[in-house]
Amino acid sequence: MALSKAKSEKEDLLNCPICSEIIIQPKILPCMHTFCKQCIHEYISNMGRNKNSELTQFTCPVCRSVVKPRNPKASVDEWSSALHDNLILAIMISTTKGDRQQDCNVCEQHQQKSTAKFWCEGCEKTLCEKCNTMHKWLLSSHPVIKLEEFGKNTYGLDLHAVFENCNEHPSNSIEAFCFNHEQICCIQCVTKKHWNCENVKSIEEITNSNSVYDTLQDKLECIKQATLKLLNEKEEQKRDLKEKWETTGNDAAMFLEQVKCKLDALFETFRKQLNVFLDEQNTDLNIRMRLLEQFVGSVDHWITVNRIVKEFGTKTQHFIQVETMKNQIKTSLIEIDKVIKHETSFDIKFAKNEILEQLETADTMGMLNKTEHELGDQIADIRNCCKNLGIKYLPKFEDIRVELVKTFHVDGSDLSCGVCVGEDHIILGNRSTKNMLQVFNKQTGLVINTTQFELDACRLFYDEEQNQVFISPFQVKKLYKAEIVGDLINNPVLLTFNKDYVGASCKHNKHIYIVVDLAIKKFFSTAGPNSSTEMLTVVSTNTYCGTNGMNMFKQKIIYTTKDKEIKCITLDGENVYCFKDKMIKTPECIVALPTGLVLVVDRDNKGSLHVLSEDGTKHKTLLQKFDTISDPCDIWLDNNDSETFYIAGGEYLEVYRLTCD
């Protein structure tokens, strides 16, 4: 693959993601990330030291892909040495550094030494001029390029890192893939571990029949562009956050300045009031002080006069003088008493404004008012692009929630059950005035075809391999099946070998599993209506039919019981968990997600939706009520999209999608 790269990008290619220096002794992982041998060795060793239990695998430091050692019996210290040498990148680094010439690998094998000028992509060897000439004669079909062009025409990826042999059986080539367990297998793996799995295909069959591989680059580019779009949105959020931060800071500073200005103005007004009061009191005190000073002067005068008159005057003069003095003192006292009689004294101090006083105890100048806005499902585009690659993503128990996608109204119906068939169709059980099975188009919302059915359909199951639907009627000991032809349902036929009340049914490998009174049974899916097939009991249970639901997840059976429990067992009948909670009063309809989570419809009080964790220890309510349905009768997954599910009841069919918080 030829691609010109900017110098900085090429330098990044040659740098170790761990130490950021030019890679020394390149070691490449199966995910195609390359590291210094010493760096990846220390990384693996640190993982081993930080893990309490014995290390059996490690993750790539860049993309977190799981890497299993080539030799599981080797010690952790030996893992890095066993990794594939990235010879291609080693040559690129050596050529780029220009610190030494490349030796011809062919000459080296014959104990000779010559300067290499070429690289053979077929032999993965360097060649000198002479060896290249010989090579053209012998192996003309091998692509050969000049070493100086080597770094321009490669990403430094050594495909030998993609180990084509089985990890468990290193001598065997990988030849198949088990879709049930999502595991790559050799023939020995298939024989020993996956012989009972119903969906095992050879790699050749998958790659030849799956068009995904032909358009993989376009689909990966779609994922990249969707991710870049979200990244740009996040960058815009970051810029918007900075702008809001600056605006909020400026608003706070402006508010503080306004408060300071207001406080300065209030202080100036208070100081003026204080000065006016001081001036008024000083004026009043000065008047009183002058009267008292005048009276003191007058008394002092009379003291002098009385002494002179008494010493040098007559008695008559002294008498007259005394009487005059008394009248004058009396007049002065009356004047002083008039001024001072109602005089008061003032104790003054500063009384704080109650509102401003709160500033002394305030912890903050103001509150940071945060308003949250729901951004919705931000990775919906990325997830949809990943679906095109067959990557199924479902939220974990902790963050799972549901959202209503659409509601279909089937006028005049009484929907009791349903199942998806093919790309666009749903088969619905309708127990209105006339019992019937209807083919419903989930794209248009229209009923396409109708097949009369003599009983109330309680549960449906579609066998994709045989293209037939199994029908469990309500409150009768019968089980029917009908073939699907295009968008038509053939007349249902009775399976005479069944003698039980049948509830929900599902399939594993070649068997159809049904829940009946006090047991779960199975029979071959190819059994004919009048065959002498024997119904085999898988496990005895506390179920009764017509109401109990059942679903399968990998090698486990999940079902509801007459005691309002949700039980999980293995195919051998061993108990995995039993869940019972007063929050789920009438659990009947259930569906198991590919992650092992279980959606449960509680029909009590007009219905609610719940989810159980994979181990059955945790539960939470997803919907307190449904949008239009007041009597939910059944729940099932979309056969093309495991994130979408349907709820049926009465005249309505509601479509929901699983999302994350």
Side-chain angles (χ1 to χ4, degrees):
M1 180 185 298
L3 181 67
S4 62
K5 299 173 73 66
K7 182 179 179 181
S8 61
E9 292 177 327
K10 185 174 181 180
E11 288 174 351
D12 286 341
L13 174 66
L14 305 180
N15 290 342
C16 173
I18 295 178
C19 68
S20 300
E21 301 292 338
I22 297 295
I23 298 176
I24 300 174
Q25 292 183 281
K27 288 289 186 178
I28 187 168
L29 304 185
C31 59
M32 295 297 175
H33 286 114
T34 302
F35 308 88
C36 299
K37 178 181 178 181
Q38 185 61 30
C39 290
I40 194 65
H41 171 74
E42 292 177 0
Y43 171 78
I44 296 171
S45 298
N46 286 335
M47 284 194 68
R49 283 192 291 268
N50 296 332
K51 190 175 177 63
N52 294 330
S53 57
E54 184 179 354
L55 191 67
T56 58
Q57 59 190 28
F58 67 95
T59 55
C60 170
V62 177
C63 66
R64 316 308 298 170
S65 296
V66 174
V67 181
K68 295 184 178 181
R70 291 276 186 87
N71 181 6
K73 296 180 180 180
S75 67
V76 174
D77 288 336
E78 297 174 317
W79 287 5
S80 59
S81 298
L83 293 173
H84 188 79
D85 293 319
N86 191 338
L87 182 60
I88 293 176
L89 193 61
I91 294 175
M92 286 181 60
I93 292 171
S94 180
T95 304
T96 302
K97 291 170 66 176
D99 54 1
R100 68 179 180 88
Q101 293 181 330
Q102 290 292 316
D103 292 330
C104 173
N105 296 149
V106 178
C107 289
E108 285 179 340
Q109 292 176 354
H110 295 84
Q111 288 75 46
Q112 297 183 22
K113 188 172 184 179
S114 59
T115 302
K117 299 292 185 181
F118 303 93
W119 168 260
C120 174
E121 294 180 352
C123 300
E124 293 187 343
K125 294 182 183 295
T126 56
L127 305 170
C128 64
E129 294 275 6
K130 180 181 177 181
C131 291
N132 183 45
T133 302
M134 297 289 292
H135 182 274
K136 287 181 180 178
W137 295 343
L138 299 173
L139 298 168
S140 59
S141 62
H142 282 199
V144 177
I145 60 175
K146 292 182 179 180
L147 273 182
E148 59 197 44
E149 297 293 322
F150 188 74
K152 299 178 182 179
N153 299 328
T154 179
Y155 283 107
L157 301 180
D158 191 334
L159 297 183
H160 284 84
V162 183
F163 194 51
E164 295 189 57
N165 286 7
C166 178
N167 274 337
E168 293 191 28
H169 311 102
S171 60
N172 296 340
S173 298
I174 293 171
E175 297 184 28
F177 183 77
C178 175
F179 287 90
N180 297 88
H181 295 91
E182 296 183 351
Q183 288 183 356
I184 296 172
C185 317
C186 67
I187 292 299
Q188 195 169 347
C189 288
V190 173
T191 304
K192 287 188 174 182
K193 294 184 177 181
H194 304 280
W195 63 272
N196 202 30
C197 297
E198 58 182 0
N199 199 358
V200 178
K201 294 183 179 180
S202 70
I203 291 178
E204 183 178 1
E205 179 185 1
I206 296 170
T207 53
N208 288 341
S209 62
N210 196 333
S211 60
V212 169
Y213 296 93
D214 298 329
T215 58
L216 184 57
Q217 289 295 108
D218 293 336
K219 289 179 171 60
L220 290 174
E221 186 64 30
C222 175
I223 295 173
K224 176 184 173 181
Q225 294 303 323
T227 307
L228 286 174
K229 178 184 175 184
L230 181 58
L231 179 60
N232 290 334
E233 291 174 1
K234 292 303 170 188
E235 290 174 347
E236 181 63 30
Q237 281 181 247
K238 187 177 179 180
R239 289 191 293 270
D240 185 51
L241 177 63
K242 185 177 180 181
E243 290 177 5
K244 290 176 180 177
W245 171 80
E246 291 175 348
T247 301
T248 303
N250 292 336
D251 290 345
M254 186 180 297
F255 172 70
L256 180 61
E257 191 62 32
Q258 291 172 347
V259 171
K260 287 180 179 179
C261 291
K262 182 66 175 178
L263 289 175
D264 289 342
L266 291 176
F267 177 69
E268 189 62 30
T269 300
F270 177 78
R271 189 165 59 179
K272 289 179 180 179
Q273 293 174 345
L274 185 63
N275 290 337
V276 169
F277 173 78
L278 179 62
D279 291 342
E280 290 175 351
Q281 295 304 312
N282 280 337
T283 299
D284 290 344
L285 287 172
N286 286 337
I287 293 173
R288 289 162 177 76
M289 288 172 66
R290 280 197 296 271
L291 283 175
L292 292 173
E293 288 172 351
Q294 290 173 358
F295 184 67
V296 169
S298 179
V299 171
D300 190 50
H301 169 73
W302 291 118
I303 291 173
T304 302
V305 169
N306 181 63
R307 180 174 56 79
I308 297 299
V309 173
K310 183 178 180 180
E311 184 176 350
F312 300 104
T314 64
K315 290 184 177 180
T316 300
Q317 288 177 321
H318 186 237
F319 175 77
I320 294 171
Q321 184 271 329
V322 170
E323 290 302 319
T324 301
M325 178 190 68
K326 288 167 62 178
N327 287 330
Q328 186 60 47
I329 290 173
K330 181 180 178 182
T331 300
S332 297
L333 285 174
I334 291 172
E335 184 178 2
I336 291 171
D337 185 58
K338 183 179 179 181
V339 174
I340 297 179
K341 183 177 181 180
H342 299 292
E343 184 182 12
T344 58
S345 64
F346 291 93
D347 290 328
I348 63 172
K349 61 180 180 179
F350 176 63
K352 301 175 183 177
N353 183 304
E354 292 182 358
I355 296 176
L356 295 179
E357 189 177 9
Q358 296 176 12
L359 288 173
E360 294 182 351
T361 58
D363 295 326
T364 60
M365 185 182 71
M367 299 298 293
L368 187 61
N369 190 2
K370 296 179 290 185
T371 304
E372 294 187 29
H373 303 281
E374 180 64 48
L375 294 177
D377 188 358
Q378 297 183 75
I379 65 169
D381 290 343
I382 300 174
R383 189 164 54 243
N384 289 334
C385 291
C386 290
K387 285 180 184 177
N388 293 331
L389 282 177
I391 299 173
K392 296 182 179 180
Y393 168 81
L394 284 173
K396 297 180 181 179
F397 175 83
E398 289 73 17
D399 54 11
I400 190 173
R401 64 182 181 89
V402 296
E403 61 181 16
L404 180 68
V405 177
K406 65 175 71 172
T407 300
F408 295 112
H409 181 208
V410 186
D411 189 32
S413 64
D414 184 9
L415 303 180
S416 57
C417 54
V419 67
C420 289
V421 175
E423 293 288 331
D424 301 319
H425 297 156
I426 298 175
I427 297 178
L428 296 173
N430 188 343
R431 57 188 181 191
S432 56
T433 52
K434 292 184 178 180
N435 297 322
M436 62 187 78
L437 300 173
Q438 295 178 318
V439 179
F440 181 84
N441 188 303
K442 60 185 179 183
Q443 305 300 330
T444 64
L446 300 176
V447 174
I448 301 172
N449 282 303
T450 298
T451 299
Q452 296 300 318
F453 186 57
E454 61 183 10
L455 300 167
D456 290 349
C458 177
R459 293 285 183 268
L460 301 175
F461 169 70
Y462 175 61
D463 180 2
E464 183 177 5
E465 185 178 1
Q466 300 294 326
N467 197 27
Q468 57 190 4
V469 62
F470 289 86
I471 310 151
S472 304
F474 188 67
Q475 292 183 337
V476 292
K477 293 184 177 182
K478 294 181 179 181
L479 178 63
Y480 292 79
K481 77 172 181 178
E483 292 185 355
I484 309 297
V485 181
D487 55 7
L488 295 174
I489 307 173
N490 282 351
N491 290 328
V493 293
L494 178 66
L495 300 178
T496 57
F497 56 79
N498 171 63
K499 306 298 180 184
D500 295 293
Y501 292 103
V502 180
S505 55
C506 49
K507 185 180 181 182
H508 178 70
N509 289 338
K510 301 299 181 182
H511 284 100
I512 300 295
Y513 288 73
I514 59 174
V515 59
V516 302
D517 283 344
L518 303 180
I520 291 175
K521 296 184 177 182
K522 67 179 181 180
F523 60 90
F524 282 105
S525 60
T526 54
N530 300 310
S531 68
S532 57
T533 295
E534 183 180 356
M535 299 278 281
L536 302 175
T537 298
V538 177
V539 63
S540 297
T541 65
N542 54 335
T543 55
Y544 59 75
C545 288
T547 55
N548 289 147
M550 180 179 64
N551 224 251
M552 299 191 76
F553 165 67
K554 293 185 177 178
Q555 306 290 319
K556 300 172 185 174
I557 304 172
I558 303 163
Y559 61 95
T560 60
T561 73
K562 63 182 180 181
D563 298 322
K564 315 304 181 186
E565 302 162 324
I566 302 163
K567 284 189 173 182
C568 179
I569 61 173
T570 66
L571 292 178
D572 297 327
E574 295 182 4
N575 289 325
V576 178
Y577 68 75
C578 178
F579 177 88
K580 185 175 183 179
D581 190 284
K582 62 181 179 181
M583 292 294 293
I584 305 179
K585 296 181 179 179
T586 313
E588 295 182 3
C589 323
I590 61 173
V591 65
L593 303 178
T595 57
L597 302 181
V598 179
L599 297 179
V600 183
V601 173
D602 183 359
R603 297 188 65 184
D604 183 68
N605 193 25
K606 298 185 178 181
S608 56
L609 182 67
H610 308 261
V611 62
L612 297 187
S613 60
E614 184 178 352
D615 59 5
T617 61
K618 292 180 286 187
H619 147 266
K620 68 178 179 180
T621 302
L622 297 177
L623 292 172
Q624 295 285 359
K625 63 177 183 178
F626 298 104
D627 186 56
T628 53
I629 297 173
S630 58
D631 183 21
C633 294
D634 199 7
I635 180 175
W636 66 94
L637 282 179
D638 191 294
N639 54 342
N640 299 315
D641 182 1
S642 54
E643 297 173 25
T644 301
F645 63 93
Y646 300 81
I647 305 285
E651 294 187 343
Y652 295 96
L653 176 64
E654 294 181 359
V655 188
Y656 289 89
R657 179 177 295 278
L658 297 168
T659 61
C660 298
D661 286 331

